[in-house]
Amino acid sequence: MNVKLRVLSVGALFFIGTTAFAQKTKKDTATTEIDEVVMVGFGQKKAVKELTGAVGTMKSDAIKDVPVASVDKMLQGRVSGVQTGNASGQPGGFASVRVRGIASVNGGVNPIYVVDGVRVQSGDLTTGATTANILANLNSDDIESVTVLKDAASTAVYGADAGAGVIVITTKSGKKGKPKISLNFESGTNSRAIEGMRGLNTEQYRYLLANALANYDGVTPEEVYADAATGGYGAVAQNIYTTSNNTNWRDVTSRSGYQNSVNASISGGNDNITYYNSANYFLQESELKGSDFKRLGFTSKIDYKATDKFKFGTDIQLSYSRINTLPNGGGFANPILFELFARPTDPGYNADGTYYLGNSGRLSNNLFNSGYVQDNNYFRASTARVFGNIYGEYQILKNLSYRVVFGTELNNIENDTYYNPIHGDGYQVNGRKTESTTRYFNWNLQNIVNYNFKVGDKNRFNISAIQEAYQRNMRYVAGQGVNVGSPNLETLSNFIKPVYARGEKSVSSRNGYAAVVNYDYDKLILVDASVRRDALSNFTPGQKWGTFYSVGVGVDLARLQFVKDWEKISQFKLRGSYGKVGNTISSIPYSLYEYTGNYNDNPAATLKYVYNPDLRWETVKPLSLGVDMGFFKNRLTVTAEYYNKKTEDLVFSVPLQMSQGLPIPSESTLTYPFKDVNVGSLVNKGFEFTVNYDVVRGEDFNLSIGGNLSTLKNEITSLYGGQDVITGSTILREGEGIGTFYIRKWAGVDPTNGDPLWYKNGMDGETTNKYAEAGLAVQGRSYSNVFGGVNLNVSYKNFTLSALGTFGFGGKVLNDWASYTQSDGQYVFSYPGSTDALDFWTPSNPNAANPKPVYLNATNSNRSSTRFLAKTDYLRLSNIRVGYKFTSSMLKGTGLNGFEVYAQGNNILTHRYDKNLKFDPENNLNATNNLNLPVQKTVSLGFNLQF
């Protein structure tokens, strides 16, 4: 019987998030039997009726044309149990992805990615750029499906590093038939999805500064105005109170962000060969000058049936990208920080339109003009990615096959940081240039033998034996120089004074063997079992090998006659799984000498790390229970799942005595001797619900709605010695979750005198105006504990409408720069701060949000507390798309098989429940924002041509 794939529209979520169907029509009946199909481990497809594990899938129609650079930014709200956080709005930047919680404290927390059956790198591989994402080099228009493997039954076959989940990406392939050509063009504009904190204008700055100085000197603000204007507070203050400048620094640092993409593909084939070829161009500019991402890519995929028994295929993906980023945090080249720190009384431009560079190369408060710096300095990474994959499959016997897969991935990243000699951080050294190249060459080899057979008519077995080897090779070289003869010279050789030259290389490898057994009894009882042995080169000989396993069981009650008699029930499956998988760590078990020092021009060695032959993988033991139900011939589908995922052998740095030496890794901020040991445990648990309802199925009108909701409780169950680990504003404590805030609780402003108040016990009751007397206490966590998405799909004749809304509740984020931006007078003379500081106490405003501002504020009112902690509860219209498809009769004579015009918006509307939240709410996987680039709102128009 023929198999056809039918893809639903954006966001349709069936059972466990899948949207692919295999439609089988029997020749002797008009009845149509529909089975969902998903992609699971090592290139195997399974019908949902055969699954015992928890997976979720996005199909190509759910992600097509979404105006983001990488697929990881599309997962939020589309797959249950998956939570993403955009740490930055940098085009081409990465998104943090968590599958069923946070799997580790110091180990791996992001899932591994598998493309067309081959493991690939993910995350930020750059060294000089603020944030980048190697997955942005993969064109999302080439993706056929994205499958998220969430439980032991689906991930254990990947073994040692699958504890944080596995994301399987399948790219498009050719299909038998005449050539099909597709062209897609889309253009749009980008702006801030969230306005963020705003800098002060001149009038606001004068008002805030005058009150701070008045409270310090015991005079009135009016007296400060008068004295400052006549020089009583010095020349700088005189200029502040007499200048006509009123600079909006956001206008100086921003622009109209542009976005453009072009995708072209051709596919087709015959009985023996199918092909898919594509080319793409993608450009995305941030609203902030100096931040953008460009990509040019090409894909060629061929499958060839050489004989009745042998087939093979190749998959080649080539791409080149360039990302320009901007610093975050406290770098004065960070335009977000600059807007809040620069005085509006300084001009942004000269009278001739050129940038104002201040006196002696600096503005009045010693800053550089960020607009000039953004235009003339850069933090750039250029990435060439080559992915090659070849497979061969031979049918040894009718039920016995052998498959070999060999994939390689080459990522070559060239990092360039340039500080021009005229103005900015390169001014004092007459220009600075850093160049580095990082090369990753990775290969993945798989040998798979598959045997399936029946015992009687109802007992089916499928057995697979898998051998996999993976190796990663990294090489890094870098150099820096200063002092250049001209700002037009930007290559390293023109910077005549060398600063350093560096180089590193590393090789890591792993080898594994797995066996998988699938059994079903008349599709009523389903059993999946797997076991895998992995060896990792990084561990000591006694700890290299680990064993991982899973067992999954399902019972499809819809196969029973008494359920079949209930015509309204079309699906009723119970399933559960348990197992053990590994979680990778970055710790080194060896005691090493590092010869990187110079002692009288002789190599100097320093100790690095402590020998620990017992160091091993973290282990994750997931339990998953689920029920899949369908009603009215699957017009209404419901899935409910419970998961409990325990991580054991957590890696922590345990302090040592000083007499044992000082093996402090160079990348560590710890100031005491330590060694990494496996100690501690945590658990992630919660529920997942997915519902989809085809409300109307008609010839001209169709309407479907759906959604998913997930809950998460993350809890640390044991720590070394039961002792708390306090880092900055967060705490690791038994009984609390990762990202738990441990700070003082703000009690508001004393309405009688404007003093700051905190609770003495950190919770409630008695207050104090002395920061040191206030107690520290747990004040919530960073991640959302309830999150998900809602989708709508409507079609009426030729019109289509799709929308996706996302939500998250229960998380918080700390404004880690509020000590400067709301300093209550401490820094206001040098750094004005944000408009949030303007609602301050005065005798006529006793119920203000901020205490009385005092120049050089000594009350510690701007120190870390819940005053600067905001809830990240939100609702967001993440994507909306409206399209019109021209019918074949309308296109007759044009040579076109299809033509669609569409308009869409991304991150169009965001409702924040906390008025104090100034950052993007999808920052919720991070405890702080660190003044990252804002997430972008995109409005675009496109059209698609089919030949």
Side-chain angles (χ1 to χ4, degrees), residues 535-603:
L536 188 66
S537 63
N538 296 13
F539 292 120
T540 58
Q543 299 293 342
K544 288 185 182 293
W545 287 93
T547 302
F548 311 96
Y549 63 88
S550 71
V551 176
V553 178
V555 179
D556 188 357
L557 299 179
R559 300 284 294 175
L560 300 176
Q561 187 60 46
F562 78 93
V563 179
K564 290 181 180 180
D565 293 339
W566 299 345
E567 295 182 359
K568 293 181 179 179
I569 297 179
S570 48
Q571 172 89 351
F572 192 179
K573 186 172 73 170
L574 305 176
R575 52 184 169 80
S577 67
Y578 181 76
K580 173 185 172 183
V581 293
N583 197 53
T584 55
I585 60 174
S586 58
S587 303
I588 304 298
Y590 298 99
S591 178
L592 306 174
Y593 284 103
E594 185 176 56
Y595 287 88
T596 56
N598 185 316
Y599 184 77
N600 291 333
D601 289 334
N602 290 308

Side-chain angles (χ1 to χ4, degrees), residues 205 209 213 233 236-237 240 343 825-832 855:
Y205 180 38
L209 179 59
L213 291 171
Y233 284 90
V236 174
I240 291 173
R343 288 176 174 145
Q826 182 173 359
Y827 303 109
V828 68
F829 184 75
S830 297
Y831 308 131
Y855 176 61

Side-chain angles (χ1 to χ4, degrees), residues 162-178:
V166 180
I167 295 181
V168 179
I169 299 173
T170 304
T171 62
K172 295 177 180 177
S173 300
K175 294 178 175 60
K176 186 173 70 173
K178 64 180 182 179

Side-chain angles (χ1 to χ4, degrees), residues 140-185:
S140 58
D141 201 60
D142 286 337
I143 294 175
E144 179 66 30
S145 67
V146 179
T147 303
V148 182
L149 310 181
K150 298 187 285 187
D151 72 331
S154 55
T155 63
V157 71
Y158 286 99
D161 53 2
V166 180
I167 295 181
V168 179
I169 299 173
T170 304
T171 62
K172 295 177 180 177
S173 300
K175 294 178 175 60
K176 186 173 70 173
K178 64 180 182 179
K180 293 182 179 180
I181 299 174
S182 175
L183 297 173
N184 193 86
F185 303 87

Side-chain angles (χ1 to χ4, degrees), residues 198 200 204 207-208 818 820-825 828 832-841 848-851 853 867:
R198 295 299 303 247
L200 302 176
Q204 293 167 336
Y207 172 68
L208 179 59
Y820 289 92
T821 61
Q822 289 172 256
S823 69
D824 302 326
V828 68
S834 76
T835 55
D836 297 318
L838 294 175
D839 182 18
F840 56 81
W841 183 93
N850 300 305
R867 176 188 176 191

Side-chain angles (χ1 to χ4, degrees), residues 310-450:
F310 178 64
K311 62 181 180 180
F312 68 91
T314 61
D315 181 6
I316 298 174
Q317 300 168 16
L318 309 175
S319 65
Y320 180 80
S321 68
R322 190 186 73 180
I323 187 171
N324 285 302
T325 75
L326 295 168
N328 64 353
F332 286 121
N334 176 6
I336 306 299
L337 177 132
F338 177 79
E339 178 190 344
L340 305 171
F341 277 30
R343 288 176 174 145
T345 50
D346 285 335
Y349 299 96
N350 297 311
D352 61 359
T354 59
Y355 285 106
Y356 173 73
L357 305 184
N359 297 317
S360 301
R362 292 180 182 264
L363 303 182
S364 65
N365 60 350
N366 217 33
L367 298 182
F368 304 114
N369 188 326
S370 182
Y372 179 92
V373 170
Q374 289 168 254
D375 279 349
N376 293 277
N377 293 352
Y378 52 79
F379 303 83
R380 179 176 299 161
S382 301
T383 301
R385 178 178 183 266
V386 179
F387 174 85
N389 179 12
I390 184 170
Y391 79 89
E393 186 170 328
Y394 186 73
Q395 197 73 31
I396 303 171
L397 300 172
K398 180 180 179 181
N399 299 328
L400 178 65
S401 65
Y402 166 70
R403 180 182 178 92
V404 60
V405 179
F406 182 70
T408 60
E409 183 185 19
L410 174 65
N411 294 310
N412 194 78
I413 303 105
E414 297 175 351
N415 300 277
D416 291 279
T417 302
Y418 171 72
Y419 299 96
N420 81 92
I422 302 301
H423 185 65
D425 292 312
Y427 174 71
Q428 290 187 325
V429 292
N430 197 37
R432 183 188 302 272
K433 183 66 187 291
T434 305
E435 294 183 3
S436 67
T437 299
T438 309
R439 186 211 67 192
Y440 293 90
F441 178 72
N442 313 315
W443 58 263
N444 188 194
L445 173 66
Q446 302 167 15
N447 290 282
I448 306 168
V449 176
N450 182 262

